[in-house]
Each structure stands twice: as C-alpha cells, then as structure tokens.
Amino acid sequence: ATSQVHVVFQLKTTKMADVPDGNAEKGKKIFVRSCAQCHTVEAGGKHKVGPNLNGLFGRQTGQAPGFSYTDANKSKGIKWGKDTLWVYLENPKKYIPGTKMIFAGLKKKNERADLIAYLQEATK
C-alpha cells in the first residue's frame, strides 16, 4: 500500500483588507520628513530626484510622464494601490530590486498606514 502526502504551500500576500487605516494628518508629517526632499504630490508638480506622485493610485510602476525611471521600475508591472504601497514602502529595494530610490523604508506599520492615507488624499 502506498500513502500519499499532500503538501500545501501558502504564499504570504498582502491583501487590501490587511492594510490598516491610517491618519492622513500624521502621514503628511511623515511625507514632509521622509519624502518631500525627493517627491512632490500636487497636480502639475515638478519631478525632483523622484517623480511627482500625483495620480499615483491606479498607475503602473514607472509611468509618470517625463520622469526617467530604471528598467526595474518600468518592468515591475504592478499598479500602485494601498496593498502594493504597503509592501513597497516597507523595503523599496526588496520589492523592486534595481530601483534608484534610496529610501530605506518605513518599518513601523502605523507610519506606513499614515503615509498611505496621506498619499491617497494628496495625490488625487
């Protein structure tokens, strides 16, 4: 008699429901402290070292018009949303190896949630 062993692998993925709600006011302070030296958020804002982030949500990686992206960003092929930003902002170089973004990431979940809440409002 033979016995069969079934092994099930569960990939760890972050779903929208797993991203906690943040505080946009606190997120603005995080943006000013950690992001504003390289990014703008307003419509028509200029690119700096990093691209203008207006229209970020729902846009594919590496697609802000007029910004020179790395091939890594252009070929990542995901759309920016709460779920993808949640993973990216924790460790940008791990999520998109080859990105030129030098930001180390936000390890604290509450800070990431707050920043994402701010970006949702500020980049519309």
Side-chain angles (χ1 to χ4, degrees), residues 54-108:
N54 195 262
L56 175 68
F57 285 78
R59 183 168 69 210
Q60 194 165 333
T61 53
Q63 301 296 315
F67 186 77
S68 177
Y69 287 95
T70 61
D71 288 340
N73 276 79
K74 289 187 273 191
S75 64
K76 180 66 177 179
I78 57 99
K79 286 201 185 306
W80 290 121
K82 282 179 75 170
D83 53 345
T84 50
L85 284 168
W86 180 255
V87 179
Y88 180 70
L89 290 171
E90 182 179 17
N91 188 339
K93 289 190 181 301
K94 182 178 177 187
Y95 191 62
I96 303 182
T99 184
K100 63 184 174 184
M101 187 158 114
I102 56 170
F103 182 61
L106 290 172
K107 305 304 179 221
K108 294 180 183 172

Side-chain angles (χ1 to χ4, degrees), residues 106-120:
L106 290 172
K107 305 304 179 221
K108 294 180 183 172
K109 291 180 179 183
N110 62 313
E111 288 188 354
R112 262 183 292 149
D114 292 343
L115 179 58
I116 290 168
Y118 169 71
L119 290 172
Q120 277 188 293

Side-chain angles (χ1 to χ4, degrees), residues 7-74:
V7 180
V8 177
F9 292 98
Q10 184 174 3
L11 295 174
K12 186 176 181 208
T13 58
T14 300
K15 297 175 188 70
M16 288 285 266
D18 296 333
V19 180
D21 288 331
N23 178 310
E25 285 302 310
K26 289 181 181 177
K28 182 174 185 175
K29 291 177 181 152
I30 295 166
F31 184 84
V32 169
R33 179 188 79 218
S34 300
C35 315
Q37 57 270 43
C38 296
H39 293 282
T40 57
V41 292
E42 66 278 356
K46 65 178 183 155
H47 297 308
K48 293 181 170 182
V49 173
N52 169 268
L53 300 176
N54 195 262
L56 175 68
F57 285 78
R59 183 168 69 210
Q60 194 165 333
T61 53
Q63 301 296 315
F67 186 77
S68 177
Y69 287 95
T70 61
D71 288 340
N73 276 79
K74 289 187 273 191

